[in-house]
Amino acid sequence: HKNHNTLLLGLRMNWFISPQQSFMMNLTKSAFRPDINYLNPYEDRTVEGVVRTGNPDLDNERMYSGVFMYSYNLGVKFSVNFLASLNWSDNGVYSYESILSDGTILKTYDNLGSSFISNFSMTISGRPCKWLSLMLMGRMGYYSFDYSGTSNSYWDPLAWFDASADLW
C-alpha cells in the first residue's frame, strides 16, 4: 500500500506600488485524490455486471498554480485589473472503465494524464456619477488535456459589459 503524503506549498506576495496600484502573486502546489485513502481497496457490486473499485496504487494528483494580478484604482471612479492564472498537473487523476474477461465492466481511477490551463483577463470599471456604474470585462482561456495518449486543447474567449443605474 502506497504512502500518499504530499507536501503542500504556497507563496503569496502583495506589493503596494502606490496608493492607487498593487501587484499580487500567488504560487501554490496542491494535491487531489478522488477516492478516500482509508476506503481502499473498496469494491461496490450493487449494479449487476458493474464493479466500482478504488485503486490503492493511485498517486495523489499534483497540481501547480500561479496567479498574477495588477490593479490600478482611482478611488471609486475608475479601476483596471489585469489577471493571469496558470494551472498544470503532470499526473492527472481520471476515472476510466475497462471490460474484464467475463464481460463485467470495471470502473476505477488511475493517473492517466496531464493538464494545462491558462486564463488572462482584464476588467475596467468606473462610476462616472453617483447613479451609474459601468464594467467591461474580457477573458481568454486556453485549456489543454492529455489523457491516455489523446490530446485535446481549445480556446475559450469571453467578453462582458455591465451597466447599472440607480433610479431612486
Side-chain angles (χ1 to χ4, degrees):
H1 189 54
K2 285 188 171 185
N3 182 355
H4 297 288
N5 295 326
T6 299
L7 180 63
L8 305 178
L9 304 171
L11 172 68
R12 182 178 177 134
M13 181 192 80
N14 289 318
W15 179 28
F16 297 98
I17 301 165
S18 71
Q20 293 85 20
Q21 300 178 73
S22 66
F23 175 77
M24 186 272 297
M25 177 184 71
N26 191 34
L27 302 171
T28 59
K29 175 189 174 193
S30 57
F32 167 72
R33 187 181 171 92
D35 56 345
I36 299 170
N37 197 21
Y38 64 82
L39 290 178
N40 266 318
Y42 71 89
E43 193 170 280
D44 178 4
R45 293 182 176 264
T46 56
V47 176
E48 178 98 17
V50 177
V51 176
R52 281 182 140 334
T53 184
N55 182 353
D57 296 322
L58 183 68
D59 288 325
N60 290 338
E61 178 178 355
R62 295 176 306 273
M63 294 171 285
Y64 305 91
S65 300
V67 177
F68 308 92
M69 185 175 75
Y70 171 78
S71 295
Y72 177 81
N73 296 297
L74 192 57
V76 294
K77 293 269 188 201
F78 178 75
S79 69
V80 178
N81 293 304
F82 297 97
L83 179 76
S85 67
L86 303 169
N87 296 295
W88 65 96
S89 173
D90 58 352
N91 69 335
V93 173
Y94 293 95
S95 62
Y96 76 96
E97 298 175 1
S98 61
I99 298 178
L100 302 176
S101 60
D102 64 357
T104 303
I105 297 172
L106 175 68
K107 294 183 175 189
T108 190
Y109 296 95
D110 209 348
N111 299 99
L112 297 174
S114 62
S115 63
F116 177 81
I117 301 169
S118 63
N119 281 292
F120 302 96
S121 68
M122 181 177 84
T123 305
I124 300 171
S125 58
R127 193 172 184 101
C129 53
K130 287 184 178 182
W131 55 271
L132 181 62
S133 297
L134 303 171
M135 183 188 71
L136 176 64
M137 190 270 286
R139 176 186 58 93
M140 180 59 76
Y142 177 74
Y143 300 82
S144 176
F145 302 95
D146 291 323
Y147 179 93
S148 295
T150 303
S151 295
N152 184 22
S153 62
Y154 61 94
W155 290 93
D156 184 25
L158 173 70
W160 181 275
F161 176 73
D162 182 58
S164 300
D166 296 331
L167 299 177
W168 53 82

